[in-house]
Amino acid sequence: MKGSTPLLLAAIEILFFILWGKMGDNFICSVCGVQHDGLITNRGYKLPDDVWSIPDHERSEKARFDSDLCQFGERYFIRCVLFVPFADRSGEFGWGVWVEVEWATFERYLELYEVDGSSEPAHRGRVANVIPGYPPTSGADIEIGFQGASERPTIHFTAEDHSPLAEEQRRGMSDARYHEILSLIEAANQ
């Protein structure tokens, strides 16, 4: 087994080379359409999955939404950011996901929308998007932390959640895992 370690490390280096070469050192932003330097460090969803699945021509009739808020019947959603720190480097990867909340939380967020809500106690919600590369995340219980007026709320998994994404949020994402996520994002964009 000890003799196979250099071979394994070489295979990992080759894999990184293939991934880096394949993805390049820039990307086209799915939000603004502009090419940016570096590798992607965030991925956002335009709407909660249940709203996105409504046919285009019916969506605006059945749901009210903008880039931060969504109402679908008696269901309420807030766009948040789920940060996952990098384990092998500084920085983090941000998932711009929608969170389904109770009316009281939605109403409180509206009250604090243009002011600093960072001193507000955490609120509860459920992830409303499936995040690639993880077991199903939709419906996972989370805690929402409101932020300043110019920042989206952040979310953290509850202590009881031991799913791979929750553990990765606590411990960090390795470089190998980061590149795996980038490959999944690239495949979804094609």
Side-chain angles (χ1 to χ4, degrees), residues 115-169:
V115 298
D116 185 353
S118 60
S119 62
E120 182 79 3
H123 292 263
R124 302 286 280 206
R126 291 173 305 284
V127 177
N129 297 106
V130 173
I131 300 174
Y134 299 95
T137 52
S138 189
D141 290 325
I142 51 83
E143 293 183 345
I144 305 164
F146 295 157
Q147 303 298 308
S150 63
E151 301 170 278
R152 287 200 168 107
T154 58
I155 61 174
H156 296 275
F157 287 97
T158 61
E160 300 81 27
D161 191 333
H162 297 288
S163 67
L165 182 53
E167 292 297 326
E168 215 165 65
Q169 186 181 44

Side-chain angles (χ1 to χ4, degrees), residues 11-190:
I12 291 170
E13 287 178 23
I14 291 169
L15 176 63
F16 278 151
F17 177 77
I18 290 169
L19 289 172
W20 278 96
K22 181 179 178 189
M23 284 180 262
D25 56 359
N26 57 53
F27 64 97
I28 305 291
C29 178
S30 63
V31 175
C32 68
V34 174
Q35 181 171 309
H36 298 283
D37 291 333
L39 295 175
I40 295 170
T41 56
N42 57 64
R43 170 71 171 190
Y45 294 86
K46 292 184 180 183
L47 289 167
D49 289 350
D50 287 350
V51 177
W52 186 251
S53 68
I54 300 170
D56 285 344
H57 64 283
E58 298 175 20
R59 193 175 297 137
S60 61
E61 296 171 14
K62 294 187 177 188
R64 295 176 27 190
F65 53 87
D66 62 19
S67 61
D68 294 314
L69 303 164
C70 180
Q71 178 183 357
F72 179 37
E74 295 299 315
R75 297 172 68 190
Y76 304 95
F77 303 89
I78 299 171
R79 188 157 178 210
C80 301
V81 182
L82 186 157
F83 288 112
V84 178
F86 292 125
D88 302 329
R89 66 178 73 219
S90 62
E92 58 202 2
F93 192 92
W95 292 103
V97 298
W98 289 85
V99 174
E100 186 167 1
V101 297
E102 298 294 328
W103 166 249
T105 299
F106 191 79
E107 184 177 40
R108 184 65 179 145
Y109 183 61
L110 291 174
E111 292 169 358
L112 299 171
Y113 191 75
E114 294 183 356
V115 298
D116 185 353
S118 60
S119 62
E120 182 79 3
H123 292 263
R124 302 286 280 206
R126 291 173 305 284
V127 177
N129 297 106
V130 173
I131 300 174
Y134 299 95
T137 52
S138 189
D141 290 325
I142 51 83
E143 293 183 345
I144 305 164
F146 295 157
Q147 303 298 308
S150 63
E151 301 170 278
R152 287 200 168 107
T154 58
I155 61 174
H156 296 275
F157 287 97
T158 61
E160 300 81 27
D161 191 333
H162 297 288
S163 67
L165 182 53
E167 292 297 326
E168 215 165 65
Q169 186 181 44
R170 291 181 195 106
R171 296 186 180 140
M173 177 189 303
S174 70
D175 279 346
R177 179 71 174 136
Y178 174 46
H179 286 279
E180 182 181 339
I181 295 296
L182 291 176
S183 293
L184 292 169
I185 290 171
E186 183 181 47
N189 288 340
Q190 294 181 2

